[in-house]
């Protein structure tokens, strides 16, 4: 499956392949969340932790 996905943080369209290569993904609640950049991934994680 090569669906385009959206950054969970800023809603930018990003290819799943690019995410996997760049490592801009993180496991949250047992599911993979993808992001357009490292910054978005980190911000999202912070948001989750701080709630
Ligand atoms: Zn983003």
């Amino acid at each position: 499956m090569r669906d385009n996905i959206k950054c969970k943080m800023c809603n930018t369209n990003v290819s799943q392949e690019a995410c996997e290569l760049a490592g801009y993904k993180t496991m949250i609640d047992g599911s993979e969340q993808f992001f357009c950049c490292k910054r978005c991934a980190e911000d999202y994680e912070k948001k989750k932790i701080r709630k």
Side-chain angles (χ1 to χ4, degrees):
M1 233 163 75
R2 290 286 170 201
D3 289 341
N4 266 26
I5 44 161
K6 288 200 171 181
C7 174
K8 287 279 178 182
M9 192 65 197
C10 67
N11 243 22
T12 298
N13 249 325
V14 55
S15 79
Q16 189 166 338
E17 197 172 3
C19 266
E20 285 179 3
L21 286 172
Y24 300 145
K25 64 176 178 181
T26 185
M27 290 287 282
I28 293 172
D29 293 339
S31 64
E32 281 183 332
Q33 309 292 333
F34 292 91
F35 305 92
C36 64
C37 62
K38 197 166 193 285
R39 166 140 202 148
C40 277
E42 286 172 354
D43 282 354
Y44 188 84
E45 272 189 297
K46 276 185 209 153
K47 226 171 66 173
K48 271 296 253 191
I49 291 163
R50 295 178 62 113
K51 212 161 187 186

